Amino acid sequence: MTDMQDIPDDAPVSEQADPTAPTAPTAPTATAPTAPPASTPPPISALLDAAAQAALPVLRGVRDDQLGLPTPCAEYDVRALLNHLFQVVVAFQSLAAKKDVDFSTTPDRLGEYGAQWPDRFAQEAARLVEAWAVPGAEDGPTGGMKLPARTVGAMVLLDLTVHAWDVARAAGLPYTPAPGCVAELRTLVAQMAPTARKMNVFAEPLPVPPGASALDALLAGTGRDPHWTAG
């Protein structure tokens, strides 16, 4: 800051500072607009809960005389697919806790539980949600492949969503996926599809016609025909 005594006495009046002159208002400092915070994805436990609630009416609607029907998964009839889904829902409770899981055999839960199997499935689905809601369940790697935990959680979300559709198509039942799940799963399928196809988990993707629904696009990405029928 220049002191008043540093201004020469012979400087023109207009160049000398007038201590009595009013101070010009300071222009406000421009600030950059604040970017909106990035949206936080919902907890995987919340998505699993929503997917289970969407799947349960389908499973409860399956009749005993429909258990032998074919499904969009060529290697499974309805009974085998339900036992597979049971196994996944139970096993991924352990994966949420970072424990190892043995997928080498598939227990016959429908035979074990009889007519009570839908209720037992609902109980196991609730335990699955609780397991993934535990703090830290989505953190770090888990599973034999040491995948990110959220990716592993999304894998069981995929089974709950897509296999519920498989059963619905086989048994002629209505099915509407849970809101928010399809978007999460389309991201998962896009990321994992090449590896899944090498492991014969997914078939080759099918073309998606213009105007197809998000669910149809998800199904086609896994190699399923969204218009599959048993006939």
Side-chain angles (χ1 to χ4, degrees):
M1 178 176 179
T2 302
D3 191 83
M4 291 290 292
Q5 64 184 11
D6 293 328
I7 299 176
D9 292 337
D10 56 354
V13 173
S14 61
E15 296 180 9
Q16 298 186 33
D18 181 358
T20 64
T23 303
T26 303
T29 302
T31 57
T34 303
S39 58
T40 302
I44 203 71
S45 59
L47 294 174
L48 288 170
D49 185 38
Q53 297 311 312
L56 283 170
V58 173
L59 306 191
R60 292 186 185 281
V62 176
R63 303 190 311 268
D64 288 346
D65 63 348
Q66 294 177 316
L67 294 176
L69 294 176
T71 73
C73 293
E75 68 271 30
Y76 293 122
D77 62 12
V78 171
R79 183 189 187 93
L81 185 58
L82 290 170
N83 274 324
H84 167 72
L85 190 54
F86 238 123
Q87 179 191 28
V88 167
V89 165
V90 172
F92 276 71
Q93 297 171 29
S94 297
L95 288 173
K98 310 294 192 292
K99 297 178 181 178
D100 292 333
V101 173
D102 180 10
F103 284 102
S104 61
T105 59
T106 302
D108 181 13
R109 308 276 184 177
L110 270 66
E112 180 182 353
Y113 299 139
Q116 300 303 313
W117 74 260
D119 293 334
R120 294 298 298 265
F121 185 92
Q123 292 169 8
E124 295 297 348
R127 292 189 182 104
L128 176 72
V129 173
E130 292 172 0
W132 283 94
V134 172
E138 290 191 39
D139 300 336
T142 191
M145 297 176 67
K146 299 302 179 185
L147 292 170
R150 186 175 177 92
T151 298
V152 173
M155 290 167 66
V156 66
L157 179 67
L158 180 66
D159 272 28
L160 268 174
T161 301
V162 172
H163 287 329
W165 177 86
D166 290 333
V167 173
R169 296 298 292 185
L173 297 166
Y175 171 66
T176 301
C181 291
V182 173
E184 176 92 10
L185 293 174
R186 289 188 68 184
T187 299
L188 173 75
V189 169
Q191 292 173 344
M192 300 198 67
T195 300
R197 291 188 186 104
K198 289 179 182 178
M199 299 173 65
N200 294 320
V201 176
F202 291 168
E204 289 299 315
L206 298 180
V208 181
S213 69
L215 176 61
D216 285 357
L218 171 66
L219 296 168
T222 69
R224 285 168 169 78
D225 178 2
H227 304 292
W228 182 93
T229 60

